[in-house]
Amino acid sequence: MAGATTHRLLRMSDRDALARVAAIVDEARASLATAEDEAALEAWRTRVLGRSGALTRVLRGIGSLDAEDRRAVGQAANAAKETLEGALEARRMALEHAALEHHATAPLDVTLPGRPRRPGHLHPVTRTLRDILDIFGRMGFAAIEGPEVELDDYNFGRLRIPEHHPARDMWDTFWIDEEVDGRTPLLLRTHTSPMQIRYLDRHAPPVRIVVPGRCYRYEATDATHEWMMQQVEVLAVDEGVSLADLKGTLQEFARQMFGPERRVLLRNSYFPFVEPGVELAVDCFNCPGDDPRCPVCRGSGWLEIMGAGMVHPEIVSASGYDAERYTGFAAGMGVERIAMLKYGVEDIRTFYANDLRFLRQF
Ligand SMILES: [Zn+2]
């Protein structure tokens, strides 16, 4: 009867195993009820259900049982595992619920200091842009916008900068490898001047507009250059508009923008689409004007804020108007540069670094 003896022994082992599973479940339920936070829950899970936890050890041991016993113990252990996983989830939810209840019913302590909320405000470049548009608006200029993705023809060609013209080196360009309505090449506009052409093509003089917008240059950045900048284009075309009108308009702008104490300088310059061309500069706010280490003016004492000039007669006639009768002036200014002057900012890159410690100063 050796076989019967073996059988009886295995049955004993089966009962032991089942009893052990039941004991594990009882102990685990009791200890789970005392777990009060997430760390305790996790420790409990590791100890009971983890890779070397009590239940896992039982499941590992069933390999030494015979097939029938293995099934009975395996089923009991797996059922126990599911029960305990459910109990763990229920305990976790109960704790979370209790925490919410406590929060909702906690007495309001009116003696605690308040939590200040910082109100948002406009970015300094946006404020500067609005100031510029306001000043020109009061002088009768309407604000209009144009496309940032522009045709070579408007950005360069019709502004008298044909392909291979050396002046193209003044504007390092981001080219776009697409075409629109079969028209090409496309680029990210390097200045807002293309709107001179677009507007004059559709609107007969008198014209008095300002064009705000983003422009892009493929160039290295430093304290006074960014690869993206905002510009405002100024254009006035009418009968009898002269260089004196340009000078008066820009001086009035500088006076309203920077106050009467800031000095401005008009000096000779060159842009292919104006004749003559001038440059408007404002005296350096950062140094007495002769410090070669000054990061803003580099010792020149002056910061150029816009290029300007009389609209070239060829541009007026190319849009279909009599250039003998209609004359005009144009100017283009960098909004960031004007913001730097107005707020005493030494590095243009800080405007777009999104550092709240910087932005909260304005
Ligand atoms: Zn300086």
Side-chain angles (χ1 to χ4, degrees), residues 36-38 41 88-104:
E36 293 293 342
D37 55 31
E38 186 54 41
L41 291 178
L88 172 63
E89 212 35 56
R91 179 67 183 159
R92 179 174 281 137
M93 284 177 71
L95 288 176
E96 278 172 14
H97 190 73
L100 283 175
E101 290 270 283
H102 175 76
H103 185 73

Side-chain angles (χ1 to χ4, degrees), residues 123-129 132 257-258 285 305 334-345 351 362:
H123 192 282
V125 172
T126 305
R127 269 167 61 179
T128 305
L129 177 60
I132 294 168
M257 195 71 193
F258 301 113
F285 60 85
I305 57 167
V335 180
E336 291 86 352
R337 290 199 178 203
I338 289 169
M340 287 169 79
L341 277 173
K342 196 167 166 76
Y343 297 116
V345 173
F351 285 128
F362 300 97

Side-chain angles (χ1 to χ4, degrees), residues 7 12 59 71 150 174 211 213 228 248 251 256 300 321 347:
H7 184 76
M12 282 300 292
L59 281 166
R71 193 179 325 115
E150 187 54 278
F174 286 109
V211 185
M228 187 282 289
Q251 278 187 342
Q256 290 198 35
S300 73
Y321 311 111
D347 192 327

Side-chain angles (χ1 to χ4, degrees), residues 284 287 294 297:
C284 183
C287 76
C294 173
C297 73

Side-chain angles (χ1 to χ4, degrees), residues 8 86 96 127 152 194 209 212 253 280 284-285 312 316 337:
R8 192 178 55 79
E96 278 172 14
R127 269 167 61 179
D152 178 285
I209 57 166
F253 165 75
L280 181 78
C284 183
F285 60 85
H312 200 287
V316 176
R337 290 199 178 203

Side-chain angles (χ1 to χ4, degrees), residues 135-200:
I135 292 169
F136 281 99
R138 286 195 292 273
M139 291 194 270
F141 288 77
I144 60 157
E145 290 183 299
E148 288 179 34
V149 175
E150 187 54 278
L151 284 160
D152 178 285
D153 198 35
Y154 288 117
N155 196 82
F156 290 125
R158 292 207 34 208
L159 288 166
R160 305 184 69 254
I161 317 166
E163 213 176 333
H164 306 306
H165 191 288
R168 287 204 177 199
D169 294 343
M170 294 163 73
W171 298 274
D172 290 315
T173 308
F174 286 109
W175 296 94
I176 292 179
D177 196 15
E178 300 272 339
E179 56 179 61
V180 171
D181 303 334
R183 301 172 79 184
T184 188
L186 287 171
L187 45 82
L188 290 179
R189 68 177 172 197
T190 59
H191 49 182
T192 41
S193 304
M195 278 307 285
Q196 291 185 28
I197 309 297
R198 285 181 177 275
Y199 198 81
L200 281 176

